Amino acid sequence: MIAEHLPALPILLYLFVALLMPLANELGRGLPWTLSWLTSLTVAALGGYGLWLTSSGGAIRYAMGGWSPPIGIELVADPLSCFFTFAIGAVSAFVLLHSRESVERDCGAKNAMTFYASSLLLLAGFSGIVGTGDLFNLYVFLEISALAGYAVLGCGSAKAALSSFRYLIIGTIGASFYLIGIGLLLSKTGSLNMVDVAAILQVDGLGPVTTLAVVFIFVGLGIKMALLPLHYWLPDVYTNAPATSTALVAPLGTKVAAYALLRLGYEVLPYEALLADLRIFDVVLYLGAVGIVWGSIMAIAQDNLKRMLAYSSVAQIGYIAVGFGLATPNGYIGAVLHVINHAVMKACLFLVTANLERQGEGTSIKGLNASLRKKMPLTCACFALAAISMIGLPPTAGFFSKWYLLLGSYDQGSWVLVVVILVSSLLNAVYFFRVLERLYLGKDEDAPDAPKRARLPWVMGLSTLVLALSLLLLGFGNVYIVSNFISPMLPGF
Amino acid sequence: MSNFFSDYSAYVLCFLLLTVGLYGMLLKRNYVKKVIGMTIFQAAIILFFIQTAYKADGTVPVKDAALPVDQTDAYINPLPHALMLTAIVVGVATVGVALSLLIRVHGAYGSLDEDDIQKEAAK
């Protein structure tokens, strides 16, 4: 029974629990928190189960309301979408588990319920984007997640509200551009179902209307995923928002837009024509490559740890764009693997900044020194592990996704990209070792009789630790993941 | 080319409106004007969708006893209208969220002008 309804379950679960939040708040003060992370954990389990089911048994299609596909809205669970559902559920479960105290501090205790309701709506939007098989439905979920995201990112300080408003303006432009593209496709094909549109476009090829639609869709989703020239909203938003909100949105928000791009570029829009005639994959590829270098250089220039991580997100999105633009099996594997790796790394790193804020340490890099390592050994160790993975040293997860991207670039014979990926790893090393050096090699500058602060609550330590350790797990298990789960999702190349 | 503007006049006007909205969102310094630009932008998209549904001499897509149902050219396409109903709801929600964020910004900075706020933030 679960298998039959699998495509709809994550979305409905999130929506339903989000609506239960006011009631849960009346029943117990901690209940919204408990319910939200439990829901995410359930969704992760559903995603994992779906991944296992669909990678051997093929996609599960679900007609909403019993209206059969080209007319009704179709939800699809295939290996790619289940993989993303799993990533969304697993990462958000630990971020939400971590969040209880930070939310009450940053957003106020009486707003905690609203925060959790909005986060669940945000996640409902994400799993909807991932699960839908309908183009307009994708727009609706894009906007659901965006609207909930503005609320989640805008709570806390007035500065957060301001940058969230700026994000709202640019995000609305992105979603609306996507909507215009859908309108053009609809007027051309008369259908909104992805499979149906793909079949019609396969016959029609790339006319002027479709070309215009492709441009609007790519620009719109490019804004949403913060591809280089469209990335400028990202650093402010991620820096000013409360640490928990950033930890929730940063690992997942840009990735689901990348997912939409993967899905549309490879499976819905006419792939051969996009590749050969319009060369849009090359555009994405080179924008991604420039993004990697630019994001890394900007990250080196930052003093605020959160801002540095935000710029590093721009660079990491570049890796995913490169993998997408390579249009080779290895590039595709690298992009998909990097989505989950980066989601876990970034969530872990932003949880570390949340831990620092909780303990009253600033997030300025200049303010970090070796005394911190003694005060918060676990947090520092998690930071070190995630940083090593970001740089891409084996056996951590980050190494393997970059390895596949390197192989993909090599397959294409583009040596420029090989150089870009290697150089960017060095740049990553520069900005992370800058922090690690202060933590592990710097002098202990704190006065020995400084007052002892309360220890970090164990849930916060635990969720950071689990995310950090799963980087090792992802690293060691990468052959298993790639051969069993990612290979079945490869589209025909 | 000479017929382009007369043949596609509705679309041309629509994209003009789109540009006006985009201009307001990106270049206006006042946040309320940005929100106004956003509503113009969304209205333009809604009009664009509605235009794609239009057919010359088509009638409302309600079953007409005088017209056979399988004669689809006699009815305009109802799908874009239904889609835009959803888009209008999304637009209203976006404006709502934008204004509620602006209330908080105004409460903290005492202004909704980008220049004033930057001055305030630099202090």
Side-chain angles (χ1 to χ4, degrees):
Chain A
M1 192 207 117
I2 288 184
E4 190 191 341
H5 297 285
L6 192 71
L9 279 178
I11 307 166
L12 292 181
L13 202 61
Y14 273 134
L15 275 177
F16 189 64
V17 179
L19 295 181
L20 282 182
M21 281 295 156
L23 189 65
N25 198 42
E26 293 297 313
L27 292 176
R29 235 178 102 244
L31 207 55
W33 168 72
T34 322
L35 267 181
S36 61
W37 69 262
L38 277 178
T39 312
S40 272
L41 215 56
T42 318
V43 168
L46 283 172
Y49 175 59
L51 190 58
W52 175 73
L53 211 65
T54 54
S55 53
S56 53
I60 304 169
R61 299 180 172 273
Y62 189 84
M64 277 310 260
W67 294 90
S68 56
I71 295 177
I73 291 172
E74 186 187 35
L75 300 179
V76 184
D78 61 3
L80 184 63
S81 70
C82 288
F83 188 80
F84 272 75
T85 309
F86 172 74
I88 290 167
V91 171
S92 65
F94 289 106
V95 174
L96 288 170
L97 181 65
H98 179 281
S99 68
R100 184 175 186 178
E101 206 178 295
S102 332
V103 169
E104 285 184 0
R105 191 193 60 226
D106 290 335
C107 304
K110 65 179 198 305
N111 292 333
M113 182 276 286
T114 328
F115 178 89
Y116 286 113
S118 316
S119 337
L120 288 178
L121 285 175
L122 172 82
L123 295 167
F126 287 164
S127 44
I129 294 172
V130 165
T132 188
D134 184 275
L135 292 170
F136 188 77
N137 203 224
L138 180 63
Y139 163 75
V140 173
F141 280 121
L142 209 59
E143 281 291 38
I144 289 177
S145 66
L147 284 171
Y150 307 138
V152 167
L153 289 167
C155 82
S157 63
K159 238 176 151 182
L162 181 61
S163 49
S164 179
F165 174 76
R166 289 194 182 131
Y167 174 33
L168 182 143
I169 293 290
I170 193 78
T172 305
I173 295 177
S176 303
F177 270 28
Y178 173 78
L179 183 60
I180 297 172
I182 296 308
L184 290 166
L185 278 185
L186 173 67
S187 67
K188 184 75 189 160
T189 62
S191 176
L192 287 168
N193 182 278
M194 287 185 188
V195 180
D196 204 26
V197 169
I200 295 170
L201 288 181
Q202 203 66 45
V203 178
D204 287 2
L206 202 65
V209 177
T210 319
T211 309
L212 193 60
V214 167
V215 172
F216 269 118
I217 287 174
F218 271 70
V219 173
L221 292 177
I223 290 175
K224 284 278 178 193
M225 80 180 256
L227 197 59
L228 181 72
L230 311 167
H231 72 284
Y232 74 93
W233 55 268
L234 188 143
D236 273 344
V237 175
Y238 285 8
T239 314
N240 294 336
T244 309
S245 315
T246 314
L248 196 62
V249 178
L252 303 169
T254 46
K255 306 299 179 309
V256 291
Y259 166 89
L261 211 58
L262 275 177
R263 185 62 100 193
L264 295 178
Y266 282 110
E267 289 171 28
V268 178
L269 302 167
Y271 167 73
E272 282 86 9
L274 288 191
L275 186 67
D277 302 340
L278 204 56
R279 299 180 69 87
I280 197 129
F281 287 102
D282 287 351
V283 175
V284 174
L285 176 70
Y286 286 108
L287 289 181
V290 178
I292 291 175
V293 177
W294 174 253
S296 303
I297 291 175
M298 287 305 283
I300 292 175
Q302 305 305 321
D303 177 53
N304 184 335
L305 195 60
K306 275 168 99 178
R307 209 171 172 82
M308 181 187 99
L309 294 176
Y311 272 108
S312 125
S313 278
V314 175
Q316 304 295 319
I317 278 296
Y319 286 110
I320 296 168
V322 163
F324 169 78
L326 279 170
T328 59
N330 278 328
Y332 191 90
I333 292 174
V336 175
L337 201 58
H338 202 68
V339 165
I340 182 136
N341 289 348
H342 179 240
V344 176
M345 291 188 273
K346 261 294 135 59
C348 181
L349 288 168
F350 276 118
L351 288 190
V352 167
T353 63
N355 289 350
L356 291 179
E357 281 181 6
R358 156 69 172 73
Q359 294 298 77
E361 308 286 345
T363 50
S364 161
I365 293 174
K366 288 204 184 77
L368 302 174
N369 60 54
S371 66
L372 194 63
R373 185 189 74 219
K374 288 190 188 132
K375 276 185 276 182
M376 308 169 74
L378 187 70
T379 303
C380 290
C382 291
F383 181 87
L385 192 59
I388 286 170
S389 178
M390 290 288 280
I391 297 164
L393 296 177
T396 50
F399 169 74
F400 294 100
S401 41
K402 283 188 189 171
W403 177 248
Y404 281 108
L405 291 176
L406 270 181
L407 283 181
S409 325
Y410 176 75
D411 292 344
Q412 282 261 317
S414 61
W415 291 102
V416 184
L417 279 177
V418 174
V419 172
V420 163
I421 292 174
L422 291 177
V423 166
S424 75
S425 287
L426 289 179
L427 292 174
N428 280 351
V430 171
Y431 62 79
F432 278 113
F433 276 132
R434 203 162 52 113
V435 181
L436 290 180
E437 186 207 345
R438 284 176 180 280
L439 288 179
Y440 285 93
L441 303 172
K443 276 207 293 286
D444 191 341
E445 289 164 11
D446 226 19
D449 53 346
K452 277 207 156 215
R453 285 201 201 85
R455 286 173 63 86
L456 201 66
W458 65 272
V459 275
M460 297 175 98
L462 177 78
S463 4
T464 319
L465 188 67
V466 169
L467 286 174
L469 289 181
S470 56
L471 284 172
L472 285 176
L473 202 67
L474 281 170
F476 284 119
N478 91 90
V479 175
Y480 180 76
I481 296 172
V482 169
S483 59
N484 280 299
F485 301 130
I486 301 186
S487 301
M489 50 176 101
L490 287 178
F493 281 100
Chain B
M1 195 64 205
S2 59
N3 289 342
F4 181 81
F5 288 102
S6 54
D7 288 356
Y8 295 99
S9 55
Y11 288 100
V12 171
L13 284 175
C14 201
F15 274 84
L16 271 179
L17 208 55
L18 202 70
T19 328
V20 171
L22 207 55
Y23 164 78
M25 286 168 96
L26 293 178
L27 296 176
K28 282 288 170 195
R29 305 291 287 172
N30 188 301
Y31 289 144
V32 176
K33 288 184 181 166
K34 275 184 194 282
V35 175
I36 294 172
M38 188 168 81
T39 49
I40 295 175
F41 187 66
Q42 284 168 335
I45 296 174
I46 291 166
L47 289 176
F48 164 71
F49 265 77
I50 300 299
Q51 277 158 30
T52 63
Y54 177 76
K55 283 173 191 162
D57 302 329
T59 179
V60 280
V62 178
K63 192 180 164 192
D64 194 338
L67 284 168
V69 182
D70 55 347
Q71 195 184 327
T72 46
D73 279 346
Y75 300 97
I76 62 165
N77 184 359
L79 181 62
H81 295 79
L83 296 181
M84 283 310 102
L85 219 51
T86 314
I88 289 169
V89 174
V90 169
V92 169
T94 314
V95 172
V97 174
L99 292 180
S100 65
L101 285 172
L102 283 185
I103 289 170
R104 294 206 40 216
V105 171
H106 192 268
Y109 295 96
S111 167
L112 285 177
D113 196 87
E114 193 150 302
D115 301 323
D116 289 351
I117 287 176
Q118 268 165 3
K119 250 182 257 161
E120 187 73 26
K123 259 187 229 167

